Amino acid sequence: LIHVGIVTSTSAETRAVAFFSARGYRVRTIGEENLGRRIYVGGFDSEEDLQSALNLARRAGFQSAYVSRFARL
């Protein structure tokens, strides 16, 4: 599971969810609107898939994306 990042607007959340969903990833968001919504991405079949998604998140502008071992989809 990857913690992609935190967004503070509904429109940014919608764009991020659409971006990752369109690429076949499961996406979950948690948090409060205007305070910060955490975006998590999962659904990896291998470590290679996880690393590809992590690199994609960073290329998409989420420079602080990291692998989370605590959250669940």
Side-chain angles (χ1 to χ4, degrees):
L1 186 64
I2 295 174
H3 177 263
V4 172
I6 300 173
V7 296
T8 56
S9 72
T10 303
S11 62
E13 177 185 5
T14 300
R15 286 192 310 272
V17 168
F19 177 82
F20 290 104
S21 294
R23 286 153 180 81
Y25 297 113
R26 292 188 319 229
V27 183
R28 177 179 179 207
T29 63
I30 59 171
E32 295 295 324
E33 187 176 342
N34 297 321
L35 293 177
R37 302 278 303 165
R38 293 178 181 272
I39 300 171
Y40 292 94
V41 174
F44 312 113
D45 294 327
S46 67
E47 182 68 25
E48 184 178 318
D49 289 345
L50 183 143
Q51 289 300 320
S52 291
L54 186 58
N55 290 333
L56 175 66
R58 290 179 176 155
R59 286 192 314 271
F62 294 99
Q63 297 302 314
S64 298
Y66 63 90
V67 176
S68 174
R69 302 288 182 206
F70 301 105
R72 298 174 194 240
L73 279 181

